[in-house]
Amino acid sequence: MNTDSKARIVVALGGNAISSGKHSGNITEQFAQSRVTARFIANLICAGHRLIITHGNGPQVGMVLRRVELSRHEVYPIDLGLCVADTQAGMGYMICQCIANEMERRGRPIIASTIVTTVLVDADDEAFRRPTKPIGQFYDRETAEHRVAAEGWNVIEVPGKGFRRVVPSPRPRKIQELDLIRKLFDDGQTIVCCGGGGIPVVRRPAGGVEGVEAVIDKDLTAALLAVGTEADTLAILTDVERVSVDYGKPTERFLDTLTVSQAREYLAAGQFPEGSMGPKVRACIHFVENSPLGSPTAIITSIEGSEAALAGRTGTRLTRD
C-alpha cells in the first residue's frame, strides 16, 4: 500500500475493543471501552480513510448463553445463530454510537451503521464432523450428559473444570449481504458488519438458507470481506503491537514485515499457534493472496498503534512475495 494515499480499510477489532481484560464487563464498562476504541477509529476517519469495521463477540456470546442457561425453565432458549445476531446488533449499536459521538465532538459528524450479517458455509465442511470450538460455560457430568441426550450437543471434558460444549467452526464461503456492504463502502459510509465472523447459514436442498449451530472464525470472515469489497488494507487490531517469533523465549524477535511464503514457513514451524496468532496470520495470507488489487497489504497491530501502523511506523505488515 502507498502509505501516502488514503486507503479503503477493513478494520478487524479484537475482543479488547469492547471488553477490556479477560471478561466482557457490564454494559457501562463495555460502553466505556468502546469510547476508547472510537477515538482511534475516529483518527483513521479524520485522516481520510474509508472504513468497514468488524469485531469479535466471544465474551458477549458467552454471556448470552449464560442467560439462556439461567432462564431456560422460564422462557424459551435461543439458538447460537440468534446469539450471534443479537450480539452483532448490540455491539454494533455500541460501536456506531461511540464513533458517531466522537466524530461529532470533533466537529465532523457522521452516521455509522450496523448491518446484521449472515455468512454462507458449506454443509459438507469437515468441521461439522469434528466440532472443536468451545462455547459457553462449564457443566457437571450429569447436566452435560442430559444436554447431549436431549439437544444433541457435542461436549468435551476439561480436567479440573468440567464439561463444555463444542461446536463446528466451518470456513466462511460467502457474505450474503456483500453487495449492500460494498455499495455503502463505495459511497463513503462507515459500516460495522460481520460481527463474530457472521451468522453461519447453509443452503437448503429445496432452496433458500437456514442457520446452523456453528461459530465462524472472525478473522477469516474479515479477510473474505476485505477481498469482496476490494479493500486496500486488512488491519487486524489485537492486543500486541507486532507479531513475534519464539514468543516468550529469550530469542523472541518482533517482525516488521512478512511475505506470504515467510508466513507459511513460520506457520508450518509452529510459530503461530492456532489458539492465538495462527488464525490472524492465515486470514492475512488469504486476503493478500486473493485480493484483486495489485498491492494489497495486511497489518497486524494494536488498536493504539493503528494510525502509526497504517503510516508504516509500527505493526507487522504482510505482503505478496
Side-chain angles (χ1 to χ4, degrees):
M1 183 191 73
N2 179 355
T3 56
D4 293 327
S5 66
K6 308 307 179 186
R8 291 161 58 98
I9 308 168
V10 169
V11 175
L13 297 174
N16 59 340
I18 289 182
S19 304
S20 58
K22 296 182 178 180
H23 304 289
S24 60
N26 60 35
I27 296 302
T28 299
E29 292 167 341
Q30 290 185 47
F31 261 109
Q33 185 64 21
S34 296
R35 292 186 193 101
V36 173
T37 296
R39 292 202 293 268
F40 296 105
I41 296 297
N43 289 343
L44 301 181
I45 297 172
C46 288
H49 302 304
R50 292 188 182 187
L51 304 184
I52 298 178
I53 301 157
T54 186
H55 59 86
N57 67 347
Q60 287 76 15
V61 165
M63 283 295 176
V64 173
L65 293 173
R66 179 64 176 152
R67 290 191 185 98
V68 169
E69 285 300 311
L70 292 172
S71 63
R72 64 166 50 240
H73 300 298
E74 298 290 334
V75 296
Y76 60 84
I78 62 174
D79 64 19
L80 191 52
L82 282 172
C83 286
V84 176
D86 286 353
T87 54
Q88 276 192 7
M91 295 174 74
Y93 158 69
M94 280 194 286
I95 294 168
C96 287
Q97 183 189 98
C98 292
I99 291 172
N101 285 346
E102 179 64 21
M103 291 298 293
E104 182 175 327
R105 187 185 69 81
R106 299 183 186 200
R108 296 184 58 177
I110 66 167
I111 296 294
S113 305
T114 299
I115 300 174
V116 175
T117 319
T118 54
V119 174
L120 188 69
V121 300
D122 190 340
D124 295 324
D125 194 299
E126 175 65 22
F128 288 107
R129 292 184 285 277
R130 297 178 61 250
T132 59
K133 179 69 175 177
I135 62 167
Q137 68 189 74
F138 289 94
Y139 299 88
D140 59 37
R141 182 181 295 274
E142 181 181 359
T143 303
E145 289 178 349
H146 176 74
R147 295 284 188 271
V148 170
E151 301 180 33
W153 282 12
N154 292 283
V155 300
I156 58 171
E157 183 175 7
V158 180
K161 293 186 176 181
F163 294 82
R164 199 175 185 194
R165 184 185 181 191
V166 290
V167 297
S169 185
R171 190 173 186 86
R173 299 297 179 183
K174 179 185 177 184
I175 298 166
Q176 298 287 86
E177 295 79 11
L178 181 64
D179 287 347
L180 172 60
I181 292 167
R182 179 159 180 167
K183 286 178 183 177
L184 293 170
F185 195 29
D186 290 345
D187 193 44
Q189 302 297 313
T190 299
I191 312 148
V192 177
C193 63
C194 296
I199 306 162
V201 297
V202 296
R203 280 271 166 212
R204 298 184 303 185
V209 299
E210 62 183 357
V212 287
E213 293 281 288
V215 172
I216 303 171
D217 182 88
K218 62 181 175 55
D219 294 315
L220 286 178
T221 298
L224 192 67
L225 178 64
V227 171
T229 56
E230 296 189 9
D232 302 294
T233 305
L234 169 63
I236 297 181
L237 305 185
T238 182
D239 55 358
V240 297
E241 189 171 331
R242 287 176 293 170
V243 175
S244 67
V245 292
D246 292 346
Y247 177 76
K249 300 178 181 179
T251 53
E252 183 175 7
R253 176 167 54 90
F254 292 98
L255 304 174
D256 296 321
T257 60
L258 269 175
T259 64
V260 166
S261 60
Q262 288 171 333
R264 289 191 188 281
E265 289 175 6
Y266 284 132
L267 279 167
Q271 288 284 358
F272 305 136
E274 288 304 313
S276 58
M277 197 56 68
K280 295 173 174 54
V281 173
R282 292 185 191 280
C284 290
I285 291 172
H286 178 86
F287 167 64
V288 169
E289 284 194 321
N290 292 279
S291 171
L293 304 184
S295 301
T297 301
I299 297 171
I300 300 176
T301 191
S302 64
I303 295 170
E304 296 82 359
S306 55
E307 194 172 6
L310 285 167
R313 298 193 301 271
T314 191
T316 300
R317 307 169 70 80
L318 194 144
T319 60
R320 289 174 179 161
D321 291 283

